[in-house]
Amino acid sequence: MALIKVDAEPAEVGFDPGRLARIDRHFRRYVDDGLLAGWTVAVSRRGRVAHLSHHGLRDLDAGLPVSDDTIWRIYSMTKPITSVAAMMLYEQGALELTDPVARFIPSFADARVYNAGPALNPSTVPVTEPVRVWHLLTHTSGLTYGFHHAHPVDEMYRLRGFEYSVPPGVDLAGACDLLADIPLLFQPGTEWNYGVSTDVLGRVVEVASGQPFETFLAEQVLGPLGMDETAWSVAEDDLDRLATLYMRGSDGRLVANGLGEDATRPPLLHAGGAGLVSTAGDYHRFTQMLLRGGELDGVRLLGPRTVAFMTRNHLPGGADLEQIGRPIFAESAFRGVGFGLGFSTVVDVAAGKVLTSPGEYAWGGMASTAFYVDPVEEVTAMFFTQFLPSSTYPIRSRLRALVAQAVVS
């Protein structure tokens, strides 16, 4: 078990301990005011953990506190892990970023783009270029999520059974064939839209590697990194460690959300975009591998040039998400933030109005989890809780400011 532990005094790695303590003072109020059940926050610099704290409960009914070994649903924080897997195959020559997705999923050869009309009778046009692997990595594929409720294509997803889950009895290959039959939201490569792109990328990994996606991830990414507690579901013996997923009830109090039950049983479909549960210790190892340029404890998953390439802005024309992104929910700010191969990346700190560094890369999850890596200051920070939806509180921006203001040397 990869438990995370403090191994540096704040001053040793350039933090002011008094300023670092502001993190806990701020986020404790979320629990004390009944906004969150509990949380974990961890901050490291130069590869050493300088701050680790927990507050509140992982299960309100059982009175169980958040602890080092609490298991969290990380939802979209699965996406960077899947993206690393895809880029490992790129490094091995198993795929090109410019490859049409149809090379791996033939049903995408017939993709069409929404033009006009209602969800039940849409007008479509041919794609001007095929959906490519880099479109999946950057969310410029034209794929979407059914839960956006922003466009007729989103409704088409819901009509086919794709909202917060997938149609019953459908595996990853079958889901991708069904998705390929739904019109794209826009021409590939022309806009950014948060959607099932990384789920489809998981199928690409599956075909390119010749292994089931979940096997490749376990054997080539999670296992080598020592992320032994990161999995597609929680074993029965460990269910008491799984934090309850909460939302706000009609009376304003926290109530359990039924979506949380999905983590208690093995899935038929292993979703590259949202499937994993993890611990703070495990995900910390993933962030340290990234910070160190693809290597951790003698295990190298990626070359440093590949990590640098993944975490630069790949949006067309160097645009930020404000300029090219659809105005929908996502686990990132839009202004001053671009998107790389699996991560948001800061391109203009002043435009974003959040205290951080140029080149900071990050992502978060639907249950209000978040992480970021600041390669300039060599800082990583993670926040874990279980609350829907993640857009409710400004956790991500506050975390960045509270950590950055504590760096004094």
Side-chain angles (χ1 to χ4, degrees), residues 337-351:
V337 177
F339 206 86
L341 304 180
F343 308 86
S344 64
T345 183
V346 173
V347 294
D348 188 334
V349 173

Side-chain angles (χ1 to χ4, degrees), residues 21-32:
R22 293 174 177 174
I23 298 172
D24 291 356
R25 286 201 299 272
H26 176 79
F27 286 116
R28 284 177 70 95
R29 295 199 295 269
Y30 283 81
V31 173
D32 298 344

Side-chain angles (χ1 to χ4, degrees), residues 138-153:
T138 58
H139 289 282
T140 58
S141 63
L143 295 163
T144 188
Y145 272 130
F147 60 71
H148 286 325
H149 292 260
H151 192 276
V153 174

Side-chain angles (χ1 to χ4, degrees), residues 25-335:
R25 286 201 299 272
H26 176 79
F27 286 116
R28 284 177 70 95
R29 295 199 295 269
Y30 283 81
V31 173
D32 298 344
D33 293 345
L35 304 180
L36 297 175
W39 49 258
T40 287
V41 64
V43 181
S44 75
R45 194 174 191 210
R46 300 167 191 155
R48 302 177 68 188
V49 180
H51 184 83
L52 172 67
S53 56
H54 317 291
H55 187 56
L57 303 176
R58 66 177 186 265
D59 187 319
L60 292 174
D61 290 341
L64 298 173
V66 175
S67 56
D68 289 348
D69 65 351
T70 295
I71 300 172
W72 311 92
R73 299 162 192 80
I74 61 171
Y75 287 114
S76 287
M77 281 167 58
T78 304
K79 288 179 170 70
I81 298 175
T82 301
S83 300
V84 164
M87 293 304 291
M88 290 171 65
L89 291 169
Y90 168 76
E91 286 191 332
Q92 296 166 25
L95 58 83
E96 292 282 346
L97 298 182
T98 53
D99 278 342
V101 171
R103 176 189 165 194
F104 309 96
I105 310 171
S107 54
F108 270 87
D110 300 321
R112 294 182 66 84
V113 179
Y114 174 87
N115 183 50
L120 292 175
N121 187 29
S123 166
T124 64
V125 296
V127 293
T128 54
E129 74 159 303
V131 179
R132 302 183 188 275
V133 172
W134 79 266
H135 296 140
L136 300 178
L137 283 157
T138 58
H139 289 282
T140 58
S141 63
L143 295 163
T144 188
Y145 272 130
F147 60 71
H148 286 325
H149 292 260
H151 192 276
V153 174
D154 306 340
E155 185 180 350
M156 291 181 221
Y157 276 52
R158 296 193 298 276
L159 291 171
R160 303 288 185 92
F162 294 95
E163 188 169 6
Y164 288 102
S165 59
V166 298
V170 175
D171 63 9
L172 182 57
C176 289
D177 287 342
L178 290 172
L179 291 167
D181 192 49
I182 303 173
L184 300 172
L185 196 61
F186 48 75
Q187 292 289 349
T190 62
E191 299 184 49
W192 185 93
N193 185 73
Y194 197 41
V196 296
S197 291
T198 317
D199 297 297
V200 176
L201 184 66
R203 175 60 178 162
V204 171
V205 168
E206 193 167 70
V207 176
S209 68
Q211 291 183 290
F213 173 56
E214 66 274 19
T215 302
F216 183 88
L217 219 60
E219 294 182 356
Q220 304 298 322
V221 181
L222 304 177
L225 280 182
M227 296 174 66
D228 301 328
E229 301 254 71
T230 303
W232 302 97
S233 61
V234 180
E236 186 173 353
D237 291 347
D238 294 322
L239 285 176
D240 65 323
R241 293 166 47 206
L242 176 64
T244 302
L245 178 63
Y246 291 101
M247 62 181 292
R248 189 159 304 288
S250 58
D251 62 355
R253 303 176 69 179
L254 296 176
V255 296
N257 185 288
L259 280 176
E261 294 300 309
D262 289 347
T264 66
R265 50 187 177 266
L268 173 62
L269 188 155
H270 297 85
L276 293 173
V277 297
S278 191
T279 62
D282 269 22
Y283 214 87
H284 174 69
R285 293 188 63 78
F286 182 70
T287 64
Q288 298 315 293
M289 177 275 294
L290 294 170
L291 181 66
R292 291 167 58 94
E295 178 272 335
L296 183 66
D297 294 341
V299 174
R300 180 168 290 284
L301 299 190
L302 294 169
R305 293 189 67 191
T306 303
V307 174
F309 183 66
M310 292 176 71
T311 56
R312 64 177 297 172
N313 186 22
H314 283 256
L315 295 181
D320 67 4
L321 295 175
E322 179 83 4
Q323 297 167 301
I324 202 171
R326 293 268 168 151
I328 45 126
F329 159 83
E331 284 98 4
S332 176
F334 273 25
R335 188 168 298 169

